[in-house]
Amino acid sequence: MKKGLLALAAGAFALGFAEFVVMGIITNIAAGVGVTVPEAGGFISAYAIGVCFGTLILVFGHSIAPKRLLMLFMLICCAGNALAAVAPSAGMLTVARFISGMPHGAFFGTATIVARELADKGQESRAVAVMVLGQTLANTIGVPFGTLLAGMLSWRAAFVFVAAWALCSFVLIWRLVPQVQAVE
């Protein structure tokens, strides 16, 4: 298996974790920033709205090399989740969640193209499946781990974890993903 695919899967894990961990720790977050649980649901919506706006990165950045885009997406993921970890208020956490969501859809679109390019002939679907495996592992292992981490330490620890993971994913993409032609 090509190491670049594992780097893409690591990025997919970061985004999957960032998206869904809130659902397991929403009561902790609500108590931490002084809002009700229904009001804390807005943090989930902020991420989803960020996903929608983030696709504009692909519209305006289509001529940028995919590897550079993937690295940018991981930096945005890292920054948004780091901001969430230190957010002093519900308003700041909403902004942080919006930022965290921005790279999500754009990452998966770009990573799919890169995974197909990295694949051996006839193995394109398998390569994409390896990349998406990161999202699956985030849902099955990452989110329960984040919930446990929040219960043992703080809800902020889950965001610190994903920010660090995104930074590691940035390094993996930088080191392991080869240059691929931009889609014109």
Side-chain angles (χ1 to χ4, degrees), residues 109-129:
T110 305
T112 298
I113 292 167
V114 172
R116 289 185 62 216
E117 290 294 320
L118 294 178
D120 294 328
K121 187 160 176 56
Q123 298 294 312
E124 294 87 355
S125 296
R126 181 173 182 221
V128 173

Side-chain angles (χ1 to χ4, degrees), residues 76-171:
I76 295 170
C77 179
C78 177
N81 285 289
L83 183 59
V86 299
S89 66
M92 184 58 72
L93 185 54
T94 301
V95 170
R97 292 292 293 161
F98 175 84
I99 293 167
S100 299
M102 288 180 65
H104 193 104
F107 175 89
F108 280 97
T110 305
T112 298
I113 292 167
V114 172
R116 289 185 62 216
E117 290 294 320
L118 294 178
D120 294 328
K121 187 160 176 56
Q123 298 294 312
E124 294 87 355
S125 296
R126 181 173 182 221
V128 173
V130 169
M131 181 271 295
V132 175
L133 179 62
Q135 171 84 37
T136 303
L137 292 175
N139 290 339
T140 57
I141 297 170
V143 172
F145 170 73
T147 304
L148 178 66
L149 192 61
M152 292 174 57
L153 300 174
S154 164
W155 62 269
R156 295 177 188 278
F159 291 114
V160 170
F161 171 80
V162 72
W165 188 282
L167 190 57
C168 291
S169 298
F170 168 88
V171 172

